[in-house]
Amino acid sequence: MEILSPQNTRVKEWAGLQEKKHRDKTGKYIVEGIHLVQEALLAEADVEILAYDLDKGMPSELRDHLQTVQGMEVIGVSAAVIAKCSSTNTPQPVFAVVRKEQQGVETILAKPDSLVVVLDGVQDPGNVGTIIRSADAAGADGVILGAGCADLYNPKTIRSTMGSMFHLPVVEGDLGVVLPQARERGALLVSTSLTGEDSCYTHDFRGSQWLLIGSEGKGISLQTAALVDKSIIIPMAGRAESLNAAMAATILLFEGMRQRGYPPQINPSQCEL
C-alpha cells in the first residue's frame, strides 16, 4: 500500500500523535527512525503501522522483521508524508505507529531486591528519557513516573531513551500509593539531598532500593519527601551548585550497579587497549 498525500485522513491521524491529547485518546504513539523502530520490533512492541519513505526504500535493518511481526501494516509513503508526521527538522526515513501497552506497577513491585528509579515531577522530556536509558544500562528493574513528569510518549522523551523504553518496565503511578506499597515489601526509599546523612559512595545499595529523583528546580515534593527513609548526598569537589536530574540519577544507578556486583572482577590482561 502507498500513501502520497499529506492531506490523507490517515496521515492527519498519525501527525496528531505528536500531541499528548491525541496519544491519550487513541492509546497510540509514534517512534521515528531506523534504530527506534528496530528496537520496538525486537521488543515485540504492539506495532500497528510501519511507514517508510518510498524514494529511499525499506531500510535493510528492518527487512528481516517484516515476515515475523503479525498484524503489522507496512505502508510506503512520500517524503511529504514523512515530514508531516515527524517531530524533527530532519525527518527520518521511517516511522512506526505503536499501541501503548498497559503495564501495571505490580510488575515492578513483585520483583525481589529491586533497584527502581522513581521520578517525581521531572518535567524535562530529555531528562526523563536519559534516566530511563541510564536505568536500562545499570540493570535497574523499572522506572516509575509520578505526577508532573514529562510524558513517556513525548517524541523527545522517546528519542532520549534510545530504545531503552522497550527494555524495562516504565509505568505511571500515584507515588502516595505506590511508595508505601514498596516499603511494605521491604524497599528502602532513598532520595538525594545537600544535607544527606550519608554519601552515595558509603550508602549500602544492596537489597531493595527505590531511588527518588525530583524536579530540576524544586526536587521531590513535600508529600514524597515525607515518605523517604533516607537521604544521601552526591559529593562534589568543584564549585557547581548541583547536578541535573539525569546526571544525579545516573551516578546513583551506576554506584548501585557497582555495589551489587557488576561488573564482575576483570583481568587487566583481558582488556582491550
Side-chain angles (χ1 to χ4, degrees):
M1 181 178 179
E2 298 179 358
I3 297 179
L4 303 181
S5 172
Q7 301 307 314
N8 181 281
T9 301
R10 298 187 73 187
V11 174
K12 292 180 180 179
E13 292 174 355
W14 303 337
L17 297 178
Q18 298 296 344
E19 298 183 30
K20 186 178 187 302
K21 64 180 180 180
H22 292 300
R23 296 193 294 268
D24 291 343
K25 181 180 179 179
T26 62
K28 301 173 186 178
Y29 62 99
I30 279 185
V31 295
E32 302 175 47
I34 295 170
H35 174 72
L36 283 171
V37 171
Q38 185 177 37
E39 288 290 340
L41 295 173
L42 287 171
E44 298 182 351
D46 193 358
V47 178
E48 179 182 62
I49 295 162
L50 191 158
Y52 67 96
D53 188 326
L54 279 168
D55 291 338
K56 298 180 179 178
M58 176 64 68
S60 59
E61 297 92 333
L62 304 180
R63 288 175 190 154
D64 290 342
H65 300 288
L66 301 183
Q67 303 302 321
T68 61
V69 179
Q70 300 297 318
M72 180 178 70
E73 187 177 3
V74 179
I75 304 175
V77 299
S78 66
V81 170
I82 292 277
K84 187 176 182 68
C85 297
S86 177
S87 61
T88 66
N89 292 327
T90 54
Q92 300 287 321
V94 63
F95 68 84
V97 176
V98 187
R99 300 182 186 93
K100 294 181 182 180
E101 297 185 49
Q102 302 302 318
Q103 288 193 91
V105 73
E106 182 62 33
T107 304
I108 299 175
L109 284 167
K111 295 187 177 182
D113 295 328
S114 56
L115 181 64
V116 176
V117 183
V118 181
L119 305 187
D120 182 21
V122 180
Q123 299 174 340
D124 183 87
N127 275 344
V128 171
T130 299
I131 291 170
I132 292 169
R133 186 178 178 185
S134 292
D136 177 25
D141 295 292
V143 177
I144 297 176
L145 307 180
C149 286
D151 182 22
L152 170 63
Y153 304 105
N154 179 301
K156 186 174 180 181
T157 306
I158 292 174
R159 287 196 300 273
S160 297
T161 71
M162 288 296 291
S164 287
M165 62 181 289
F166 299 114
H167 301 166
L168 77 171
V170 183
V171 302
E172 296 178 344
D174 181 341
L175 301 190
V177 175
V178 174
L179 295 180
Q181 291 177 335
R183 182 189 284 132
E184 289 173 5
R185 302 195 187 196
L188 186 71
L189 308 181
V190 181
S191 70
T192 59
S193 170
L194 294 175
T195 58
E197 55 198 90
D198 209 351
S199 159
C200 66
Y201 301 116
T202 54
H203 170 71
D204 187 352
F205 279 92
R206 293 170 296 177
S208 188
Q209 306 261 328
W210 285 39
L211 311 178
L212 279 56
I213 304 295
S215 71
E216 293 78 5
K218 300 179 181 178
I220 60 175
S221 67
L222 293 176
Q223 295 86 345
T224 301
L227 298 171
V228 169
D229 294 315
K230 184 178 181 180
S231 293
I232 60 178
I233 187 171
I234 299 174
M236 296 182 288
R239 298 172 60 186
E241 291 185 4
S242 62
L243 301 172
N244 75 14
M247 294 174 68
T250 300
I251 289 170
L252 298 184
L253 282 162
F254 275 78
E255 177 59 18
M257 181 187 76
R258 185 191 69 83
Q259 289 191 23
R260 287 163 173 258
Y262 190 91
Q265 191 65 37
I266 297 174
N267 185 337
S269 66
Q270 297 175 323
C271 294
E272 295 184 9
L273 298 178

